[in-house]
Amino acid sequence: MTEYGRGPGSEPWHPEDPLFGDQGWGGQQPAHGQSQYGGRQQDPYAQQQQSQDPYAQQQHDPYAQQQDPYAQQPQYQQQQDPYAQQPQYQQQPSYDQRQSSYDQRQDPYAQQPAYDGGWDTGQPHAAVPYEGQPAAPYHYGETNDYYGTPDAYPPPQPPGRREAAPAQAPEQNPDWDPEVQPEETHPFFTGADDGKAKDDEYDDDPRESRRGDGGERRGKGKKKKGRSGCACLVVSLVLAGGLGGVGYLGYSFYKDKFGSAPDYSGSGSGSVEVEIPKGAYGYDIGNILKKAGVVKSVDAFVSAQNENPKGKSIQAGVYLLHGEMSAAEAVKMMVDPKSQNLLIIPEGTRNAAVYAMVDKKLGLKKGTTQGIAKSKKYDLGLPGWASKNKDIKDPLEGFLYPAAYPVTKETKPEAILEKMVSRSNEEYKDLDLAGTAKKYQLDGPWQVLTVASLVQAEGLTHDDFRKMAEVVYNRLKPDNTATNRLLEFDSAFNYLKKQSEIKIRSNEIRTNPDPYNTYYHKGLPPGPIGNPGDEALRATLSPTASGWMFFISLDGKKTQFTKTAAEHEKLNEKFKELHGLD
């Protein structure tokens, strides 16, 4: 029995009882040294149980051990709930929420906050039981169980499970249904501020319960739906706007990344000259074409280039295309060599022929480029090892590297010549011309370049080039007695004569004193007789070592090499017979 219980006598309820009792009742307090239980011995287990079950002081049924002599006294059933005036028990149901104090009696086994030793009545508090003592079981003795009868009210519930009771008992309130789920009471939808309901949110029934901590609210009163509907509408509009924005951004992203790129249709019209620099690929080419008005977008060109099997073969150069043409048609034209506006210099071409080609390509008067080359020959970037021998017919010979050069209508002749010389310097830098000259006892890179020009002019195939290089080196040797260091190359004589003939009479070729006539002068001519290509240059650096000394081509398509003069003379006689020479 806790200190809130009653003794076996017929004493009235203790004035500090939190469940029952009139706060205004001026009950007598026990005198000094006298037990508050009227002289009766206190239950020794009451204080122990108090320390273990902190809620026993508040919730223990005072009627558990004896009959309530006041059961017939209505004034105690009509007493006010002391919880309504005590701030620490604001969560307890008020008197208005129940007809009788017995309707909402608490479960003695539910967990409640520990009792602090007394009620704030202004009176001295009773001694707090010692903590840590083991709890003793409740002693019901032989008292009657008033909760076990059919007419009894249901047992009390712990504070954690208390809810506002209906205004009437279940059997008296037919509208109450424990299975019906409560309405939504979240402050966002009810419109409560800081979890507290406002008085104007409920009407009809003044007895509607309201928990001060913003918890559930129940009752027969009707909520006002205005704020809840507005809140839902605002949330819906915000969500709809957010989803719409996300959808638009997603569509834009998909269109930019995965949609078809803007493109023209058809083959276009007009003529557009476009120059593609060296090292330009994919997007670089697309940007150039877009700026020139050929294609509509870079992505369209890149896509068309990837779809065309030959799209990756587009080289640097100048292309003659059409304006506003589809990307696919632009790629198709660019992979066709005919569409390129290039000046193509074949391997072995002499400078005189190169000048004429430049004049024709640029629409210049004949001899214009040759005149510029003669006047600016030392201003075009020749290397330091280039010879300045007075017998050289053209100092630029051998430095107009054979390749394809892009040109436009605005290109100047000196600009093209400068590109050619620059290209030759790049190619020669990668070759060990100085080392080769030293190896074969030549006077520097200049003479190696001259040998390469002879190999290019006389050879027909790559295999011929290497054998032809060996013939040159063998005839240049000091111990050569077969030709006495004479090269005897018809190509050198044709160069000085500015011709390309294979039918040259012996008396003419052996009597011409021109420094480029290798039938008349020993050793190499003063300079290159043409512009050798890469194969001839590399063959000059790596000739065969089979002892070839002579060569002749009977039909101009195939070259035959021999090692002795006797073998060569037989082929030479046959050549004269075929061409009617003496």
Side-chain angles (χ1 to χ4, degrees):
M1 178 69 70
T2 66
E3 64 177 339
Y4 302 124
R6 298 185 56 193
S10 58
E11 297 175 5
W13 290 101
H14 196 279
E16 294 183 1
D17 190 336
L19 294 178
F20 303 96
D22 188 356
Q23 293 295 321
W25 180 68
Q28 297 295 328
Q29 299 296 324
H32 179 70
Q34 183 179 359
S35 171
Q36 61 180 353
Y37 292 92
R40 293 177 180 85
Q41 187 175 359
Q42 185 177 354
D43 187 355
Y45 297 95
Q47 296 181 356
Q48 298 177 5
Q49 180 181 359
Q50 173 177 321
S51 61
Q52 298 295 329
D53 188 359
Y55 304 104
Q57 297 177 0
Q58 303 176 18
Q59 301 168 356
H60 186 65
D61 185 4
Y63 293 90
Q65 295 186 7
Q66 66 178 20
Q67 298 288 339
D68 185 5
Y70 300 97
Q72 303 299 326
Q73 297 181 11
Q75 65 270 20
Y76 289 104
Q77 297 179 1
Q78 301 297 327
Q79 289 180 349
Q80 293 183 353
D81 186 357
Y83 289 89
Q85 299 180 6
Q86 296 295 332
Q88 62 269 30
Y89 294 97
Q90 291 181 1
Q91 296 184 1
Q92 298 293 334
S94 66
Y95 172 82
D96 293 337
Q97 294 173 325
R98 60 190 180 186
Q99 286 184 339
S100 174
S101 62
Y102 299 103
D103 293 347
Q104 297 295 327
R105 292 187 178 183
Q106 305 303 310
D107 187 351
Y109 299 97
Q111 296 183 358
Q112 293 287 342
Y115 177 62
D116 60 359
W119 302 96
D120 187 11
T121 61
Q123 301 292 339
H125 290 188
V128 179
Y130 292 101
E131 296 183 1
Q133 296 181 355
Y138 290 96
H139 298 279
Y140 293 95
E142 295 180 358
T143 59
N144 295 330
D145 184 5
Y146 288 93
Y147 295 106
T149 62
D151 296 334
Y153 291 122
Q157 299 295 323
R161 289 182 283 174
R162 291 179 184 176
E163 295 181 358
Q168 300 177 355
E171 63 273 10
Q172 297 177 356
N173 187 5
D175 296 334
W176 182 75
D177 187 356
E179 301 297 329
V180 176
Q181 297 293 330
E183 296 185 20
E184 175 61 58
T185 58
H186 193 281
F188 178 84
F189 295 98
T190 60
D193 295 334
D194 298 330
K196 296 181 181 180
K198 293 183 179 179
D199 293 339
D200 60 355
E201 291 181 349
Y202 297 87
D203 52 13
D204 295 342
D205 194 347
R207 298 181 303 164
E208 293 301 326
S209 63
R210 180 171 72 250
R211 296 182 62 180
D213 59 351
E216 294 185 357
R217 304 176 179 87
R218 297 176 182 269
K220 298 176 63 177
K222 298 180 181 180
K223 297 180 183 179
K224 295 183 180 181
K225 304 293 184 178
R227 292 183 62 183
S228 176
C230 293
C232 293
L233 179 59
V234 171
V235 171
S236 300
L237 292 176
V238 171
L239 292 176
L243 292 175
V246 171
Y248 176 78
L249 293 176
Y251 172 76
S252 300
F253 177 82
Y254 178 85
K255 185 176 180 182
D256 293 340
K257 298 297 182 182
F258 304 104
S260 58
D263 194 7
Y264 293 120
S265 61
S267 57
S269 60
S271 179
V272 179
E273 191 175 65
V274 180
E275 182 176 2
I276 305 301
K278 184 178 180 181
Y281 303 99
Y283 282 95
D284 299 326
I285 299 175
N287 278 316
I288 294 173
L289 297 180
K290 180 181 178 182
K291 291 179 181 179
V294 176
V295 298
K296 193 170 186 179
S297 68
V298 177
D299 289 340
F301 174 80
V302 173
S303 177
Q305 185 185 28
N306 293 332
E307 293 177 359
N308 192 309
K310 298 181 179 180
K312 299 297 183 180
S313 64
I314 297 177
Q315 302 294 326
V318 176
Y319 296 84
L320 293 176
L321 306 174
H322 304 301
E324 297 185 358
M325 61 190 310
S326 68
E329 287 295 326
V331 174
K332 184 179 179 181
M333 287 189 68
M334 295 184 76
V335 297
D336 185 1
K338 296 180 180 179
S339 66
Q340 299 184 34
N341 192 15
L342 300 174
L343 175 62
I344 300 175
I345 307 300
E347 297 175 342
T349 305
R350 302 171 185 164
N351 281 9
V354 173
Y355 300 146
M357 294 170 66
V358 173
D359 289 343
K360 182 178 180 180
K361 193 68 177 180
L362 298 180
L364 303 176
K365 183 180 178 181
K366 187 177 180 180
T368 301
T369 303
Q370 186 174 6
I372 293 174
K374 186 177 181 179
S375 62
K376 297 184 178 181
K377 55 187 175 185
Y378 297 116
D379 299 330
L380 300 176
L382 290 174
W385 48 264
S387 177
K388 297 181 180 180
N389 189 337
K390 60 179 181 64
D391 293 332
I392 296 175
K393 298 186 179 298
D394 188 350
L396 296 179
E397 197 76 64
F399 289 97
L400 304 183
Y401 194 83
Y405 297 92
V407 295
T408 63
K409 296 178 180 179
E410 293 78 19
T411 303
K412 302 297 182 181
E414 54 269 31
I416 297 179
L417 296 176
E418 187 174 358
K419 286 183 179 180
M420 294 178 180
V421 173
S422 176
R423 175 68 180 276
S424 67
N425 288 334
E426 293 178 3
E427 297 294 337
Y428 299 159
K429 185 184 298 183
D430 296 335
L431 303 174
D432 187 12
L433 300 182
T436 303
K438 183 177 181 180
K439 180 179 180 180
Y440 296 102
Q441 300 179 0
L442 301 178
D443 295 336
W446 176 258
Q447 287 195 333
V448 176
L449 181 58
T450 302
V451 172
S453 67
L454 294 171
V455 170
Q456 181 74 66
E458 295 286 352
L460 300 176
T461 64
H462 177 69
D463 188 50
D464 286 352
F465 292 154
R466 295 191 65 205
K467 292 178 179 179
M468 195 69 65
E470 183 185 0
V471 170
V472 173
Y473 292 139
N474 287 336
R475 291 188 180 184
L476 292 177
K477 290 180 178 179
D479 58 353
N480 173 22
T481 58
T483 62
N484 296 318
R485 297 188 68 226
L486 291 173
L487 292 180
E488 297 181 346
F489 276 28
D490 292 349
S491 56
F493 184 79
N494 284 331
Y495 176 78
L496 69 90
K497 297 290 289 187
K498 299 180 183 178
Q499 62 183 21
S500 296
E501 299 288 341
I502 60 173
K503 298 180 180 180
I504 302 174
R505 297 185 178 274
S506 299
N507 58 349
E508 179 184 2
I509 198 171
R510 292 187 182 277
T511 57
N512 192 322
D514 191 277
Y516 281 84
N517 186 0
T518 57
Y519 281 90
Y520 192 90
H521 298 279
K522 295 179 180 180
L524 294 171
I529 62 173
N531 295 284
D534 184 70
E535 284 189 299
L537 285 164
R538 296 187 181 278
T540 302
L541 272 61
S542 179
T544 59
S546 302
W548 305 117
M549 185 65 72
F550 302 93
F551 65 94
I552 190 171
S553 176
L554 300 178
D555 56 3
K557 297 178 181 179
K558 182 180 179 181
T559 304
Q560 298 185 45
F561 293 87
T562 58
K563 299 178 181 179
T564 63
E567 293 174 336
H568 176 69
E569 190 59 33
K570 291 179 181 180
L571 293 176
N572 191 33
E573 293 295 332
K574 190 175 183 179
F575 177 82
K576 292 178 179 180
E577 292 178 2
L578 291 174
H579 296 281
L581 298 176
D582 52 4

